[in-house]
Amino acid sequence: MDFDAGKYALYVWSAFGAVAVVFAWMIADSLARARRWRREADPRFRGDDRE
Amino acid sequence: MFAFLANPDRFMAFSRWAAPILGVAAALLLGAGLYFTFAAPEDYQQFDTVRIMFIHVPAAWLGMFAYLCLGVASLLAFVFRHALADAAAKAAAPLGAAFTALALITGSLWGRPMWGTWWTWDARLTSVLVLFLFYLGYMALRAAIDDEVKAGRAAAILALVGLVNLPVIHFSVVWWNSLHQGSSTFGAERGDTLPAIYLTPLALMGLGYLALFGALWLVRIRAEVWRRRATVLALRAAEG
C-alpha cells in the first residue's frame, strides 16, 4: 500500500476528499429523506420497516 | 422485470431487501477497490496522480448511466403516465448530478498537474458540463412548477432532450481533437487498453459506484413513494 503521493499529494488527496464528502452527502440525504417520509406516510411507524 | 416492478407495492417489497444488499455490495466493492487503488504502482508518466483515475472515471460513467436511467424513466412516465416511473426519474436526478459534479471536480484536480490547467473548453469536458447543467435544469424545472403532474411532464421532456448529449460525451474524443484521452477500457484500440494492475481497481471501483447508485436510487424512490402517500393522507385529513 502506497499512501505517499509525493508532490502530487494535494491533488490526489483533495480528489479523494471530494469523493468522501459527496458520498457522505448522498448517503445521509437519501437515508434522511426516506426516514422522514416513511414517518409522515405512517405516523404509527416507529423503527419497523413494514410498508 | 419492468412490468413486475411497475406495481408500487411489489416495488416496495422488492426494494426493501434489494437496497441494503446493494449497499453492502457497494461497501465491499469500494473497500476492495480502494485497497487495489493504493496497492497499484505509480504510473511512469502520470506518477501518483494515476490514482485519481480510479475515482474520476467511475464518477463519469455513473453520471452518464444515471442520466440514461433518468431518460428511460422519464420516457415511461411521459408515455404511460406511470407515477412510479416519474418517482424513479425524480430520484435519479440528484444522484446523477452528484456523480457528474464529482467527475468534473476530480477531473479538474487531475488536469491541473497533468495538463497544466484546471479547465479547458475541450469537447469532452464541455459536454460533461452540459450534462451537469441538464441535471440542474431538470431539478430546477421540477421545483419551479407547483402542479406535480405538469412539473413531471415538463421535466420529462427536458430529460428526453438531454439524452442526445450522452453519445456526444462518449464520442467527443473521437469526433473532435481533444486534450482528454480516448477510451482505454470499453472500445479501446488494441494496445491502448489499461494493464490488469490498473484495470482491476478501476473495475472494482466502477462496480462499487454502480452498487452505491443502485442502493441510493432505490432508497430515494422509496422516499418519493412515501412522500406521495403522505401528501395524499394530508389532503384527505384536510378535507375531513
Side-chain angles (χ1 to χ4, degrees), chain A residues 1-5 8 11-13 15-16 18-19 22-23 26 29-30 33-34 37-38 40-41 49 51, chain B residues 16 35 38 47-49 51 55 95 98 102 109 112-113 118 209 212 216 219-220 222-223 226-227 230 233:
Chain A
M1 299 281 276
D2 177 13
F3 294 108
D4 180 12
Y8 300 110
Y11 303 105
V12 173
W13 291 113
F16 278 85
V19 171
V22 172
F23 275 18
M26 284 199 292
D29 183 65
S30 301
R33 263 168 207 275
W37 290 115
R38 187 173 56 187
E40 295 274 338
D49 200 36
E51 277 82 48
Chain B
R16 184 185 167 200
Y35 172 79
F38 289 101
F47 309 103
D48 278 293
T49 64
R51 298 187 209 288
I55 50 174
L95 297 175
L102 271 183
L109 286 163
R112 181 69 184 93
W118 298 102
Y209 275 47
L212 180 68
L216 296 181
V219 169
R220 294 183 87 95
R222 287 168 68 82
W226 278 318
R227 188 189 70 78
L233 287 176

Side-chain angles (χ1 to χ4, degrees), chain A residues 1-3, chain B residues 29-40 201 204-205:
Chain A
M1 299 281 276
D2 177 13
F3 294 108
Chain B
L29 287 162
L30 290 174
L34 279 175
Y35 172 79
F36 284 104
T37 290
F38 289 101
L204 285 168
M205 293 297 275

Side-chain angles (χ1 to χ4, degrees), chain B residues 48-66:
Chain B
D48 278 293
T49 64
V50 75
R51 298 187 209 288
I52 298 175
M53 172 175 70
F54 306 126
I55 50 174
H56 165 74
V57 174
W61 286 342
L62 263 295
M64 293 173 69
F65 180 72

Side-chain angles (χ1 to χ4, degrees), chain B residues 67-145:
Chain B
Y67 199 90
L68 186 64
C69 294
L70 170 64
V72 171
S74 294
L75 180 68
L76 294 173
F78 190 77
V79 173
F80 300 109
R81 294 176 184 258
H82 199 288
L84 192 57
D86 184 55
K90 186 180 178 185
L95 297 175
F99 280 116
T100 309
L102 271 183
L104 290 167
I105 293 166
T106 54
S108 185
L109 286 163
W110 195 8
R112 181 69 184 93
M114 290 300 105
W115 296 345
T117 182
W118 298 102
W119 179 263
T120 176
W121 293 101
D122 167 280
R124 171 59 68 83
L125 276 68
T126 306
S127 55
V128 173
L129 179 64
V130 169
L131 176 69
F132 183 61
L133 294 177
F134 265 107
Y135 276 123
L136 295 186
Y138 178 89
M139 291 187 287
L141 187 56
R142 282 200 86 113
I145 302 173

